[in-house]
Amino acid sequence: MNRQRDYRTDHGSATGSGLRVFDFFSGCGGASRGFEDAGMEVVFALDWDPDARETFALNFPTTTFEPTDIRDLSVDIVHDLVAKQRPNPVLFCGCAPCQPFTKHNTTRPKRHEDERVPLLLEFLRFTQRCEPDIVFVENVPGIQNVCPDSEPLSGFLAGLKEAGYHGPTFASVPLKRYGVPQGRRRFLLLASRHGSLDLPPETHGPGTPNPDYDTVRDWIGDLPKIAAGETHPTIQHHQAARLSELNLTRIRATEEGGGNRDWPDELRLKCHENVTGYSDVYGRMSWDRPASGLTTRCISYSNGRFGHPEQDRAISVREAALLQTFPMDFQFAGNLSSMARQIGNAVPVRLAEAVGRHVTAHLAQAGVI
């Protein structure tokens, strides 16, 4: 069974809540699609990446889109747009670029000099002036410990409290607990102007209505076979990257769920000798477990455990999108590497939908909607 075809039935049908979404750092629209599936209307988005902008336009043609860097956008423009949405409640989504806060980057002495680090505080500028009802932030857990004083998070939290927001509530959560078939964690933050707002209740795993975690098989198990370098003639974006003859030999020597440790000596890379890391690179996924976390190189066999469980290739663009819980009708623009980058950077759709439904219930209880 392919979960992406029936998960909305599992969660109940979405009805319009009247809540308007402003999606800063929107990327290709993972959060926007999740909020839309939760019954919200996405009225504004911002991102500087041209391919992400084109992808967003394909999927949200009526949304006002600002193709610019947030540092170059006037707060007055957004303030006027928010005013036009009132009296409907407004949610600001601010999923700033996560690369400065990843494990790979947080060990670097000069990580605090990365110009992307202060972007969360740029988002705060708009939040303080426009006073949305709800603020949502998603990022990597490392955002909590980038610098000794935890900037930019500490400044962002202080700014929200000064602006009259309750909480904020934040934590590092496992994606699989929200029905996303990946074994990674993400940082979530919610703040409300209408009382205390916890993070959404977990939907999957022991003690929830769905005791089993979703798996790779659940989401991509019924897509037709293709070879490395091949594009399926009728399924959009079901396209796999090419593999060299050496990498074809390597993946053929790898069992489901296995990796480079399973190879004979003549196939191993010299740079992996006598090291304990790199166990996921050149790995195959397991059918009946969640995938490892998808990255911006999620269709590259050599950059993670992105090999198909049984076919001799890396996962396709469409398979990567499904594992990020994008629906089959979601379209992407750009070349293969650009589409992979957009997918890897995206907020998983199911996660955003869970947040959206939870926020809607909160505002309904507060009498706002």
Side-chain angles (χ1 to χ4, degrees):
M1 175 177 63
N2 193 315
R3 296 279 185 181
Q4 68 86 21
R5 293 177 182 169
D6 69 352
Y7 77 82
R8 230 171 296 171
T9 301
D10 292 342
H11 289 175
S13 59
T15 56
S17 65
L19 202 154
R20 305 295 194 254
V21 174
F22 284 64
D23 191 355
F24 297 79
F25 318 106
S26 66
C28 65
S32 285
R33 180 55 189 255
F35 289 136
E36 190 177 76
D37 287 348
M40 302 176 178
E41 183 179 347
V42 183
V43 297
F44 171 88
L46 173 147
D47 203 280
W48 63 269
D49 180 81
D51 287 341
R53 179 172 75 242
E54 187 175 347
T55 294
F56 198 97
L58 287 171
N59 296 281
F60 308 93
T62 63
T63 298
T64 297
F65 196 102
E66 282 287 342
T68 188
D69 188 311
I70 191 172
R71 291 166 289 197
D72 299 328
L73 180 65
S74 168
V75 176
D76 291 339
I77 292 175
V78 177
H79 184 269
D80 290 346
L81 288 173
V82 170
K84 291 178 181 178
Q85 302 305 320
R86 299 298 190 184
N88 294 291
V90 170
L91 179 149
F92 272 19
C93 174
C95 304
C98 66
Q99 285 79 8
F101 315 117
T102 61
K103 290 180 180 179
H104 178 69
N105 281 330
T106 53
T107 59
R108 294 179 178 177
K110 296 185 179 181
R111 61 190 180 273
H112 60 281
E113 298 177 7
D114 191 312
E115 65 179 8
R116 294 169 295 185
V117 169
L119 291 179
L120 189 62
L121 300 180
E122 292 291 329
F123 175 59
L124 178 64
R125 275 196 307 126
F126 290 83
T127 300
Q128 290 177 320
R129 172 76 187 283
C130 301
E131 299 184 340
D133 299 82
I134 301 292
V135 176
F136 169 65
V137 170
E138 186 262 16
N139 213 291
V140 294
I143 194 173
Q144 299 173 87
N145 53 15
V146 171
C147 298
D149 57 357
S150 295
E151 287 284 5
L153 183 59
S154 63
F156 184 72
L157 295 173
L160 287 179
K161 291 178 181 179
E162 290 173 4
Y165 287 90
H166 295 266
T169 303
F170 59 92
S172 170
V173 303
L175 288 180
K176 64 183 181 180
R177 299 287 291 182
Y178 291 96
V180 179
Q182 292 181 54
R184 76 188 297 192
R185 303 180 72 90
R186 299 294 288 183
F187 171 87
L188 301 186
L189 179 149
L190 279 171
S192 171
R193 301 189 71 83
H194 305 285
S196 178
L197 175 58
D198 293 330
L199 296 183
E202 296 173 338
T203 60
H204 288 67
T208 73
N210 304 286
D212 296 325
Y213 298 122
D214 280 17
T215 68
V216 171
R217 188 189 303 275
D218 290 330
W219 283 81
I220 70 170
D222 62 355
L223 265 68
K225 291 183 177 182
I226 56 173
E230 185 179 357
T231 301
H232 193 274
T234 62
I235 298 178
Q236 189 180 32
H237 306 313
H238 191 27
Q239 178 180 4
R242 296 181 182 275
L243 289 181
S244 66
E245 286 301 319
L246 177 57
N247 282 340
L248 281 170
T249 301
R250 285 169 170 158
I251 197 168
R252 288 165 183 157
T254 308
E255 296 182 352
E256 177 196 344
N260 58 73
R261 305 292 170 82
D262 305 326
W263 298 343
D265 290 343
E266 62 269 19
L267 294 181
R268 295 185 180 181
L269 283 77
K270 292 186 180 297
C271 59
H272 291 175
E273 294 177 359
N274 302 316
V275 294
T276 58
Y278 304 105
S279 60
D280 269 354
V281 297
Y282 296 94
R284 282 191 190 268
M285 295 178 177
S286 299
W287 272 128
D288 297 316
R289 299 180 62 184
S292 49
L294 268 66
T295 70
T296 57
R297 297 183 178 182
C298 53
I299 62 168
S300 171
Y301 172 54
S302 63
N303 280 279
R305 193 171 293 278
F306 304 138
H308 190 277
E310 64 182 37
Q311 297 170 41
D312 296 332
R313 59 175 177 84
I315 58 172
S316 70
V317 171
R318 177 56 67 192
E319 288 165 336
L322 289 172
L323 293 172
Q324 281 279 61
T325 61
F326 282 97
M328 283 288 286
D329 63 357
F330 203 92
Q331 303 176 68
F332 296 91
N335 59 29
L336 274 180
S337 61
S338 174
M339 289 188 284
R341 184 184 71 251
Q342 293 172 57
I343 291 167
N345 279 332
V347 176
V349 174
R350 250 196 184 183
L351 177 65
E353 184 185 358
V355 170
R357 294 182 183 278
H358 180 61
V359 165
T360 299
H362 163 76
L363 292 177
Q365 186 175 15
V368 179
I369 56 176

